[in-house]
Amino acid sequence: MTGTVEAKLAALSITIPAASAPAANYVPFVISGNLLWISGQISMANGSFMTGKLAGEADIEAGRAAARQCAINLIAQIKAALGDLDRVKRVVKLVGFVNSAPDFTDQPKVVNGCSDLFVEVFGDAGRHARSAVGVAQLPFNVSVEVEAVIEFA
């Protein structure tokens, strides 16, 4: 039987990929009490990196799409950790890192691609605290990386 969150994802034509394995010496998530801490998920879809420095090789819309893909990858990790996406009680915090040219200042607009999807999928439980930070470089030259803290039942 499909849960409420899975039904919303299906209605949005979003297929959740298998959760990606860590690329180095860390774990993809940690559960402590009723909080799920998810390591940064990069903008990667179907094995391909979504790359480019914002206000350089990529524009805000490309950045928003990359951040949205980070949200999908975060949801994959939530599913791997909890088994059932309906166990999400609250998206507590997102931290978004945006690969930014020195004069780029619209990181919040980019990270909205992730935030908007979380609210669309989880409703009010998807509203969260957030940081959107510009960085000089990200692994594999990806445009965006986002980490999350999730409260679950």
Side-chain angles (χ1 to χ4, degrees):
M1 183 167 172
T2 302
T4 304
V5 174
E6 298 265 356
K8 287 181 186 176
L9 289 165
L12 294 168
S13 300
I14 296 173
T15 301
I16 298 302
S20 61
N25 189 17
Y26 64 93
V27 293
F29 56 81
V30 170
I31 294 176
S32 181
N34 65 338
L35 293 178
L36 170 64
W37 298 77
I38 304 172
S39 296
Q41 299 297 299
I42 60 175
S43 51
M44 183 174 71
N46 303 316
S48 296
F49 298 119
M50 300 169 78
T51 62
K53 193 170 289 289
L54 273 289
E57 306 99 349
D59 62 15
I60 289 176
E61 285 310 308
R64 283 179 54 83
R68 185 176 189 274
Q69 186 60 47
C70 289
I72 292 169
N73 296 340
L74 285 164
I75 292 168
Q77 293 294 346
I78 295 168
K79 187 170 182 173
L82 304 179
D84 181 357
L85 294 172
D86 287 332
R87 291 183 64 195
V88 171
K89 190 172 178 182
R90 181 77 193 244
V91 178
V92 177
K93 172 103 187 220
L94 297 180
V95 180
F97 302 94
V98 179
N99 187 354
S100 301
D103 60 346
F104 185 72
T105 60
D106 283 329
Q107 290 84 5
K109 290 179 182 176
V110 170
V111 180
N112 279 344
C114 182
S115 295
D116 292 349
L117 185 62
F118 269 89
V119 172
E120 195 167 4
V121 170
F122 294 104
D124 282 340
R127 297 191 187 285
H128 50 269
R130 185 183 88 178
S131 299
V133 180
V135 297
Q137 191 59 266
L138 286 170
F140 311 108
N141 195 37
V142 295
S143 297
V144 183
E145 180 174 349
V146 183
E147 62 182 47
V149 180
I150 308 295
E151 181 184 11
F152 65 92

